Amino acid sequence: MLTGKKILVGVTGSIAAYKSAYLVRELIRLGADVRCILTPAAREFITPLTLSTLSKNPVAVDFVKPEKEGKAGEWENHVKLGMWADLFIIAPLSANTLSKLVTGNCDNLLMAVYLSAKCPVWIAPAMDLDMYNHFSTKENLDKLKSKGIKILDAKDGELASGLEGKGRMEEPYEIAKEIDAFFNPQSKLKGKKILITGGPTYEAIDPVRFIGNHSSGKTGVLLADACAARGAEVFLITGPTREKVKNPYVRVLHVQSADEMMSAVEHNWFDFDAGIFSAAVADYRPENKAPEKIKKSDDRITLNLIKNPDILKWAGLNKKAHQRVIGFALETENEIENAQKKLEQKRADLIVLNSLKDEGAGFGHDTNKVTFVQANNKIRNFELSQKSVLMSQLLDELEQMLS
Ligand code: PMT
């Protein structure tokens, strides 16, 4: 995620300028604070209005701000803009601006910002085939590279001229992904595939009623975002929740019942390196779901319950040698003993124990108090802390388990 990161997007005169809108949208989705700056030529290809709407910030174009409510002649502070950014990405970069970046020819606001920027500068060139292949272009790119400017190389494909070849601007999704990776140095989870279950399950009694529990789904969502921030490929299978995954790279499947969660896990488990089973799965479900709403008639009714599949146990018993399994245990008595039993019976590599006896722990809260229980009596207690902090400690443990 790019929460709190300030990204300045520079746009130059190129047919690929439309892609800057997608880039801005992608960066915003990742939580970045985005501002845009256009060269005068870029305005022929994309309007400031489009980019200001997407970035939710005014767009800078000229040294002098446009007249507003009778106030004229206000200066666009290029030094401030250059200092503001944590990263300046010029995408698309035209051949014209490329040569100016090399010579320092400061004839527009984008160039003035570039010359005053203290942050890393990245460029994503977009040109026609022969322009990109020209020795001047190659020399200019080499010069910038030698000065520490990161070049997101143009890609092969169909060009606006109708020619085929190298010159297409890198895709906005890929640029945003690289920026994300730059600010979030990857861990040993990079490239690992992690399956997570989260939230409660709802077991239908009739079309309007269900058996459920108080899980908010926070833990599952936090785990998914944290794994993705470490570069893992994440699949979150969650029961009903109001919590929203922030990281757009997390694949999310919403399910209702234990049966639905089970079949999603069964279909996917062998593609994954690890599973974190934080869902509060109902152990039992009504044997039959009434087709219509049950009417209030008798003083007493009986609900027959049958056992649900144990998802964690299935994954533990069927895991391949390279796969690791982390389960949770929510206890109200004999906590450690029960967690150790679950560790063994469900063939988990680690159980995160939380107890409803502890204030601020378990369902719904932003905090939890957990104990990591592993084989050979390995037990680690943690103080009451934010769930995000505890889940980050869990991922440190998972990194060791996978390495
Ligand atoms: O969602 P939050 O509000 O953030 O709350 C988080 C939490 C309290 C739900 C979480 O920290 C937690 O403890 N999750 C597990 C709750 C639970 O169902 O515990 P259990 O002891 O009944 O189950 C043990 C393990 O087996 C769990 O990993 C559970 O996912 C799994 N299980 C249980 C039953 C079943 N039929 N299938 C399972 O996979």
Side-chain angles (χ1 to χ4, degrees):
M1 292 297 291
L2 293 171
T3 313
K5 295 290 172 236
K6 303 186 205 86
I7 314 290
L8 186 59
V9 177
V11 185
T12 71
S14 158
I15 197 77
Y18 77 92
K19 285 188 175 177
S20 61
Y22 293 95
L23 175 61
V24 170
R25 200 178 61 177
E26 207 54 35
L27 293 169
I28 293 280
R29 254 159 49 92
L30 285 168
D33 191 0
V34 181
R35 299 185 83 107
C36 299
I37 174 165
L38 269 64
T39 62
R43 290 181 69 165
E44 303 293 326
F45 296 92
I46 188 159
T47 69
L49 183 63
T50 307
L51 294 176
S52 67
T53 307
L54 290 171
S55 67
K56 302 178 181 71
N57 272 317
V59 169
V61 184
D62 298 315
F63 285 104
V64 180
K65 288 183 187 171
E67 189 173 327
K68 202 175 157 195
E69 291 159 7
K71 266 173 75 184
E74 211 179 312
W75 182 50
E76 189 75 73
N77 190 334
H78 60 87
V79 180
K80 231 174 160 179
L81 255 182
M83 301 287 274
W84 171 85
D86 294 316
L87 188 137
F88 184 18
I89 165 91
I90 308 178
L93 173 74
S94 65
N96 181 34
T97 301
L98 170 64
S99 80
K100 288 182 194 169
L101 296 183
V102 174
T103 60
N105 177 5
C106 187
D107 69 347
N108 63 40
L109 182 65
L110 184 143
M111 282 306 302
V113 172
Y114 163 71
L115 292 174
S116 11
K118 293 272 182 287
C119 61
V121 177
W122 291 17
I123 54 174
M127 282 165 224
D128 202 29
L129 182 67
D130 297 314
M131 290 170 85
Y132 201 64
N133 268 333
H134 198 276
F135 69 87
S136 311
T137 304
K138 285 183 174 158
E139 278 176 21
N140 284 340
L141 286 172
D142 283 346
K143 277 184 197 153
L144 292 183
K145 198 171 172 185
S146 72
K147 300 286 176 208
I149 289 178
K150 184 176 165 89
I151 298 160
L152 301 167
D153 208 5
K155 294 284 168 280
D156 269 317
E158 196 183 325
L159 301 167
S161 61
L163 294 172
E164 282 269 342
K166 203 165 177 178
R168 285 176 67 85
M169 186 183 113
E170 174 62 288
E171 290 308 317
Y173 177 80
E174 296 299 330
I175 298 177
K177 222 161 105 176
E178 280 227 35
I179 294 177
D180 191 24
F182 173 75
F183 283 111
N184 299 295
Q186 305 297 351
S187 77
K188 288 180 192 146
L189 291 190
K190 181 176 161 63
K192 297 284 181 201
K193 297 178 82 176
I194 316 288
L195 182 148
I196 296 167
T197 69
T201 62
Y202 285 0
E203 311 297 332
I205 297 171
D206 66 17
V208 293
R209 304 178 181 98
F210 58 83
I211 296 174
N213 59 64
H214 298 293
S215 168
S216 63
K218 260 182 202 156
T219 300
V221 164
L222 278 171
L223 277 167
D225 274 332
C227 283
R230 292 186 187 211
E233 205 178 300
V234 186
F235 183 27
L236 171 67
I237 304 167
T238 179
T241 176
R242 291 199 171 139
E243 299 295 317
K244 295 259 180 301
V245 169
K246 296 198 183 77
N247 195 307
Y249 304 127
V250 173
R251 182 155 70 102
V252 185
L253 178 70
H254 291 274
V255 296
Q256 293 278 323
S257 65
D259 255 352
E260 284 171 29
M261 192 175 274
M262 178 78 227
S263 64
V265 170
E266 265 179 334
H267 277 101
N268 291 283
W269 175 226
F270 298 110
D271 290 340
F272 285 81
D273 298 297
I276 310 178
F277 297 85
S278 71
V281 184
D283 287 324
Y284 292 89
R285 68 170 182 274
E287 187 168 19
N288 297 304
K289 176 186 165 190
E292 305 298 338
K293 185 180 172 194
I294 298 171
K295 293 279 177 242
K296 188 167 59 178
S297 50
D298 300 338
D299 283 347
R300 178 173 301 195
I301 59 167
T302 305
L303 209 54
N304 276 333
L305 301 180
I306 55 166
K307 225 176 195 171
N308 264 331
D310 190 320
I311 303 166
L312 167 63
K313 191 171 177 181
W314 178 87
L317 292 180
N318 289 289
K319 71 182 171 193
K320 304 278 180 227
H322 73 280
Q323 290 183 300
R324 297 289 172 268
V325 168
I326 294 178
F328 276 62
L330 184 61
E331 303 295 340
T332 54
E333 56 180 349
N334 302 328
E335 286 92 342
I336 297 282
E337 201 185 317
N338 285 334
Q340 282 177 324
K341 266 190 204 152
K342 283 178 182 165
L343 181 79
E344 204 183 307
Q345 288 166 358
K346 303 191 186 206
R347 293 259 323 269
D349 299 288
L350 187 152
I351 289 281
V352 181
L353 163 67
N354 43 185
S355 170
L356 282 186
K357 278 190 186 153
D358 291 319
E359 188 102 346
F363 294 129
H365 308 284
D366 288 332
T367 53
N368 207 351
K369 187 165 187 297
V370 304
T371 303
F372 293 173
V373 177
Q374 285 170 280
N376 303 321
N377 266 329
K378 191 175 167 197
I379 288 167
R380 276 177 73 195
N381 292 303
F382 294 85
E383 292 302 314
L384 182 80
S385 310
Q386 291 292 313
K387 280 181 175 168
S388 55
V389 174
L390 293 168
M391 291 310 102
S392 168
Q393 268 150 334
L394 181 63
L395 296 190
D396 291 346
E397 199 66 49
L398 178 62
E399 284 188 2
Q400 296 209 358
M401 287 159 62
L402 285 170
S403 64

